[in-house]
Amino acid sequence: MLGSLFKFFLVASLWLTLFLFASCEKDTDGPLDVMGENFSYDGEGFFGSAELDSGKTIHLSKDTLFLGMGKMWTFSNCALESIKLSYSKEDSILWLMPRLDIHATAEDCAAPYYRPDTVLKVTLSKEQMQGVGIIKVKNDVDSVLDSILLRRGSFSRDTFYIYLDSSFSDPHAYPLRTKDKKKGKEIPTVIRVLDSLTPRVFYWRTMKSVCTHRVDMCKKTVADTVYPMSWSVNDTNLVPVHYACADSDSVYCINSKWENDSTELGKLQERPDTIWHYSTYYAEKIPKCGTFSQFNLSNFTVGDHVRFIRELMTPDEDESFCGPASQEEWMVYNMSRNQMVLDTGSVVILDSLKKIWKKASVAPDTLKEK
């Protein structure tokens, strides 16, 4: 980074000096030449951003690799002579290192600026890709700007629906999952599990409410405690007590004419409650060493279908790199957190989840399939 800044300030100073000379003129002479007739400058530019295959996760070896480069500084808008790519291997990583060659002359050019983005078409030979699982690109100051997985295989993209029965909203039913077979063929499933419970207590007092506008007379009334829709954990909740007619379901006061009296409170009481913490997972058996290159879901509503858009990478027979996947032949996606559950550091979670999946009840699937 220091090298790039040094280049920038050096060239910027040069152009500033030339600009000052160009601004000095006499009425009769016109502007002075800013460069000699034989002026020549050769060097290297630099760039601050790069992207492989538009940010995709996986690049297939049989496809063309595209490298997008941005924030390129090239001295002037006509000084970029060429962009050269050099390669190096480090274990299973193939490094791409673009170099911007600059050749400036006395030709009239605009001031230095960052060039528009440039996309390069990169062709890699079988020898260059041999034993490579990751491709990375870096600039002249060794800053890693992007990386992509290199795999041998094919992509298959599907859009499908999985129905979530209304029982998925009942924590008492967990663990619960959808069907895993359709017409004898294995299909993806959704499973919901209970992670933990958090007990808590709400504190509350009754508060007297006085009716200011009766609409009928009652020979006898009964207390009707009006509990709130939501409870505050940090404060004592004041709960109004209204009165209804004992011999009917009607309240003898217009709803808007109740006045609460906070000076007459009942004794402090407790209302126990429990927070249910649960997670929802998508689980699918995939080809050995396969992975997802894209995964999206929408319409995540209990009692309806969830739409999934999934692009699966199926490896060729000669593919020696696996995943990334949850397990060798199993992919799990945490729908609650919107992320894949990978085997790195999650083996205990995956083993436990697989056992739960096998024992979980299967929810009914009564809604017509899409």
Side-chain angles (χ1 to χ4, degrees):
M1 187 64 185
L2 291 176
S4 298
L5 290 173
F6 177 74
K7 293 177 186 176
F8 177 79
F9 286 119
L10 178 63
V11 177
S13 300
L14 173 62
W15 274 99
L16 180 60
T17 303
L18 295 175
F19 174 76
L20 292 174
F21 276 109
S23 62
C24 297
E25 61 174 298
K26 295 182 179 179
D27 294 338
T28 55
D29 294 341
L32 298 174
D33 290 336
V34 297
M35 300 179 185
E37 189 175 320
N38 298 320
F39 171 80
S40 178
Y41 171 79
D42 294 282
E44 291 184 22
F46 56 90
F47 58 100
S49 68
E51 191 175 52
L52 295 163
D53 276 356
S54 300
K56 292 182 179 178
T57 305
I58 298 174
H59 172 71
L60 296 182
S61 60
K62 58 188 176 185
D63 293 339
T64 301
L65 178 66
F66 291 95
L67 171 62
M69 298 174 59
K71 295 183 180 179
M72 298 168 55
W73 191 88
T74 58
F75 186 81
S76 71
N77 66 346
C78 55
L80 178 62
E81 187 174 42
S82 63
I83 300 177
K84 295 180 180 178
L85 281 175
S86 58
Y87 309 87
S88 67
K89 284 185 181 180
E90 182 181 335
D91 297 326
S92 60
I93 300 175
L94 176 64
W95 289 96
L96 301 184
M97 294 164 288
R99 189 185 73 187
L100 310 183
D101 286 343
I102 294 173
H103 176 65
T105 64
E107 179 183 353
D108 186 21
C109 282
Y113 77 111
Y114 282 102
R115 295 176 58 88
D117 294 347
T118 299
V119 178
L120 302 181
K121 183 178 179 181
V122 182
T123 303
L124 300 174
S125 65
K126 288 185 177 180
E127 290 73 19
Q128 288 174 318
M129 292 185 289
Q130 184 70 35
V132 173
I134 302 177
I135 300 175
K136 294 186 178 184
V137 57
K138 62 181 178 180
N139 57 14
D140 62 319
V141 290
D142 291 334
S143 294
V144 181
L145 301 178
D146 196 21
S147 65
I148 192 169
L149 299 176
L150 177 63
R151 296 291 184 265
R152 296 90 184 150
S154 60
F155 291 138
S156 58
R157 185 184 177 93
D158 295 310
T159 299
F160 53 90
Y161 296 82
I162 297 179
Y163 175 65
L164 293 186
D165 186 79
S166 56
S167 55
F168 274 88
S169 62
D170 181 12
H172 295 88
Y174 305 156
L176 188 70
R177 67 175 174 86
T178 58
K179 293 181 179 179
D180 59 340
K181 288 187 179 181
K182 185 177 182 181
K183 298 180 180 180
K185 182 181 178 181
E186 290 187 350
I187 58 174
T189 60
V190 173
I191 181 173
R192 184 170 281 189
V193 299
L194 181 64
D195 297 325
S196 62
L197 298 173
T198 301
R200 59 180 177 177
V201 176
F202 294 109
Y203 297 95
W204 63 284
R205 295 177 185 270
T206 56
M207 176 174 57
K208 183 180 178 180
S209 292
V210 180
C211 175
T212 62
H213 188 172
R214 282 192 175 191
V215 294
D216 58 8
M217 298 299 293
C218 300
K219 293 181 180 180
K220 189 178 180 181
T221 59
V222 292
D224 182 15
T225 307
V226 186
Y227 292 104
M229 296 296 294
S230 61
W231 295 77
S232 174
V233 178
N234 298 323
D235 299 324
T236 299
N237 298 269
L238 300 181
V239 179
V241 178
H242 293 179
Y243 285 85
C245 295
D247 57 352
S248 69
D249 294 332
S250 63
V251 176
Y252 72 88
C253 187
I254 296 178
N255 288 338
S256 61
K257 295 299 180 178
W258 286 101
E259 289 186 357
N260 296 325
D261 185 359
S262 59
T263 63
E264 293 196 33
L265 303 177
K267 65 178 182 179
L268 185 67
Q269 300 184 57
E270 294 183 358
R271 180 180 184 270
D273 188 48
T274 304
I275 302 176
W276 300 71
H277 304 280
Y278 56 84
S279 296
T280 307
Y281 298 93
Y282 167 97
E284 179 183 3
K285 187 175 182 181
I286 61 174
K288 185 177 180 180
C289 286
T291 189
F292 292 160
S293 61
Q294 183 179 353
F295 190 90
N296 294 302
L297 60 95
S298 62
N299 304 328
F300 186 6
T301 305
V302 171
D304 203 348
H305 287 89
V306 182
R307 185 183 69 182
F308 294 90
I309 302 175
R310 185 260 291 124
E311 191 171 67
L312 176 66
M313 196 286 291
T314 302
D316 291 338
E317 293 182 357
D318 60 344
E319 177 58 271
S320 58
F321 293 93
C322 279
S326 300
Q327 288 187 345
E328 198 174 57
E329 296 182 274
W330 202 39
M331 181 63 82
V332 178
Y333 188 90
N334 190 325
M335 296 168 60
S336 301
R337 297 185 178 181
N338 200 30
Q339 65 182 20
M340 292 184 184
V341 183
L342 302 179
D343 55 1
T344 305
S346 304
V347 177
V348 175
I349 297 175
L350 289 167
D351 290 344
S352 175
L353 187 60
K354 200 166 187 177
K355 293 177 182 177
I356 295 173
W357 182 89
K358 291 180 179 180
K359 296 179 180 179
S361 302
V362 178
D365 191 5
T366 55
L367 197 63
K368 186 178 179 181
E369 291 285 347
K370 286 192 177 183

